[in-house]
Amino acid sequence: MLILPTVPAPSPRRDLRDQAVLDDYRWRVIALTSAASLAGCPQLSIPLASCEGGPMGISLLGPRDSDRALVALAREVLAAS
C-alpha cells in the first residue's frame, strides 16, 4: 500500500481568477490522483484534517484486487485518528 497526499496544497479560493494558477493546481492534483487509475489499482481518499478552512486528506493506494484490504486499512486509519 502507498500513502500519498490527496491534494498538493489547500484548494484555491473560489474567487481566484488567475487561470494559470488554477491550471497548475489542477495538473498537480491529476499527478497525484491519476496514477492508480492508469495502473488499474484502487485508491481511497480519506479527509483527515483541514487547512485554511478546506478539507485535507490522504490517499491510500493499493495493488490490483486489494479493494477490500484497502477499505479495511482506511477504517483502521479513521478509527485511529
Side-chain angles (χ1 to χ4, degrees):
M1 303 284 177
L2 281 174
I3 299 175
L4 306 166
T6 300
V7 293
S11 297
R13 294 176 44 99
R14 281 186 179 187
D15 59 355
L16 180 64
R17 298 291 179 240
D18 185 336
Q19 195 60 47
V21 172
L22 294 171
D23 288 345
D24 178 64
Y25 183 83
R26 181 175 49 250
W27 285 112
R28 291 188 299 145
V29 169
I30 289 170
L32 288 172
T33 59
S34 65
S37 63
L38 291 172
C41 299
Q43 181 174 359
L44 288 173
S45 181
I46 304 170
L48 288 180
S50 63
C51 182
E52 298 179 15
M56 294 290 288
I58 61 167
S59 287
L60 306 174
L61 199 139
R64 289 182 185 198
D65 301 320
S66 67
D67 302 64
R68 290 177 191 237
L70 197 61
V71 170
L73 176 61
R75 286 183 175 153
E76 288 179 38
V77 169
L78 287 171
S81 62

